[in-house]
Structure formats: structure tokens, C-alpha cells
Amino acid sequence: KAGVTQTPRYLIKTRGQQVTLSCSPISGHRSVSWYQQTPGQGLQFLFEYFSETQRNKGNFPGRFSGRQFSNSRSEMNVSTLELGDSALYLCASSEQSHKRGGGDEQFFGPGTRLTVL
Amino acid sequence: GNSVTQMEGPVTLSEEAFLTINCTYTATGYPSLFWYVQYPGEGLQLLLKATKADDKGSNKGFEATYRKETTSFHLEKGSVQVSDSAVYFCALSNNDMRFGAGTRLTVKP
């Protein structure tokens, strides 16, 4: 089975621009979660999608949004980029949603490194 | 709410030394607990997990026991190798996923 893939791997944008990141989960996985990883804040949960519905959301401003398609692929969008949005954005997939009660392993992609200048 | 507190490090050990990375959690109910490892330039990989109290997760010589009475899930390995150098994350799943800050381990030959 192919692993979780994320595109692009690297991205450079300027302040005020918007960006869309893409994630393809492992075949058969219906849950996709997004995380932001920075040296200062560590790994922070952005949101989780399951069967095209947002199941859970972390504490991020509305500039961060996402969606999931019927084939479980997911995109996240960040509008009006700020310097502090520079980070590694990780996507993870699992068979079931965290809302179900946990226990399912998450499989992570390699991440998209976003640099905002 | 849910939270994970993890020994931050960095930790530097010599090959064959004993490793302990402390992890404690706060959660209502019965969370599942995980240790993930991140090698340079890669995403996180599951190292081990435990889904109920007193469960012991183990993999590649690493182990951790789910201690509900002390709300802990400490990671241990009896003899580390250079190839174990990575960042280790403690995590819990309980309606959402929470990760610790990560502990960078460097093992020197």
C-alpha cells in the first residue's frame, strides 16, 4: 500500500498570499488530520476530517481551513499568510476518527515545508 | 482538556546506555497513548501504543506501560543504538490527538 503523500514538499510564499496544501491518505483511510510543526510550538493539531466532514478543530484562526473530498483526499488552505505561518505542515491518515474513541494508529506523510517571507 | 507533558531534553547518550523519556498526561476518561518517532526529514512513525490501563506497548526494544494511577507513559529502552537518534513524541487520543513537545535523542558511538 502506498503511504500518505503530501504535495508540494516545499513552498515559499510572501506575506499576504494564500496557499493550498494537498494530502492523499492511505487507501481505505477515511480520516485525515492536519498538524502544524514549529520549533517553538511543537506539534499542534489543526483539524480532522472524516468522510468529508470536519470532526474536530484545533485552536487556530479562521485563516486556516480545510476540506476533504469523496476519495478522502484532503486540502488545507491558509489565507493572508503571516511570517509566523512558516512551519512544517503534516498530514496524517487513519481508518477511524479520533472522535470514535482513539486507539487507531495515525500514518504521517513527510510534510510540506512552508516558508513565508 | 487533554494534554501531554513530556521531558523535553535534548538527551545525549552513549551507545548501549539505558534510555528513559518521561511522559505524563491529563485527560478525562480512558485515552489511548502512543509514542511516535521522527527521523530527520521525515514524518512521524508510530513506535508503540497502549489502549488501556496496565497495557505495555513494545517495539524494536522500546517499551512503555500505561499507568493510570500516575497518569504516565514513560518510554524506556535498555540499550540504545546510534540508529535510535531521532525525536520522540508522546501522544494521546481522546476525542482529539495531543502531542508532547518532543524529545531529541542523540546516541553517540
Side-chain angles (χ1 to χ4, degrees):
Chain A
K1 258 187 187 176
V4 177
T5 58
Q6 292 186 246
T7 57
R9 291 294 309 278
Y10 302 91
L11 207 47
I12 299 175
K13 293 285 188 178
T14 56
R15 277 181 300 175
Q17 286 188 308
Q18 77 162 22
V19 67
T20 299
L21 312 182
S22 181
C23 172
S24 291
I26 289 173
S27 177
H29 286 191
R30 292 187 293 164
S31 169
V32 174
S33 297
W34 288 90
Y35 298 87
Q36 182 195 66
Q37 186 177 24
T38 59
Q41 299 296 319
L43 201 62
Q44 293 189 289
F45 172 74
L46 280 155
F47 29 66
E48 181 201 6
Y49 285 86
F50 183 81
S51 293
E52 301 180 67
T53 302
Q54 187 179 88
R55 288 294 185 95
N56 225 332
K57 190 176 191 306
N59 190 25
F60 278 81
R63 300 184 298 107
F64 291 82
S65 63
R67 59 178 175 168
Q68 187 179 33
F69 302 94
S70 58
N71 62 358
S72 292
R73 191 177 70 83
S74 176
E75 291 181 345
M76 70 162 276
N77 184 277
V78 188
S79 61
T80 320
L81 284 166
E82 300 177 0
L83 295 179
D85 297 333
S86 295
L88 180 68
Y89 289 87
L90 292 166
C91 162
S93 76
S94 60
E95 291 184 7
Q96 296 293 337
S97 167
H98 303 305
K99 281 284 191 182
R100 178 179 165 271
D104 282 344
E105 174 183 354
Q106 286 199 304
F107 293 82
F108 283 80
T112 294
R113 171 79 57 191
L114 171 65
T115 302
V116 182
L117 302 175
Chain B
N2 302 323
S3 68
V4 176
T5 302
Q6 179 181 345
M7 182 174 95
E8 290 196 21
V11 174
T12 302
L13 296 173
S14 297
E15 208 165 22
E16 298 184 4
F18 185 84
L19 168 72
T20 299
I21 301 177
N22 290 337
C23 171
T24 57
Y25 68 90
T26 301
T28 54
Y30 302 92
S32 294
L33 301 174
F34 307 83
W35 276 99
Y36 281 85
V37 58
Q38 186 177 31
Y39 297 101
E42 299 182 13
L44 280 68
Q45 303 172 25
L46 179 68
L47 182 59
L48 52 85
K49 72 176 186 181
T51 57
K52 60 183 188 297
D54 300 324
D55 264 4
K56 178 186 280 189
S58 61
N59 185 26
K60 299 180 182 179
F62 291 90
E63 57 183 38
T65 301
Y66 189 142
R67 302 280 187 206
K68 192 162 176 64
E69 64 276 13
T70 55
T71 62
S72 65
F73 194 55
H74 305 321
L75 181 68
E76 296 182 336
K77 185 174 185 181
S79 175
V80 294
Q81 305 301 312
V82 172
S83 57
D84 294 328
S85 298
V87 181
Y88 293 81
F89 293 90
C90 183
L92 72 79
S93 174
N94 188 35
N95 244 9
D96 63 12
M97 281 292 293
R98 299 283 170 158
F99 286 81
T103 301
R104 182 175 299 278
L105 170 66
T106 302
V107 180
K108 299 192 172 181

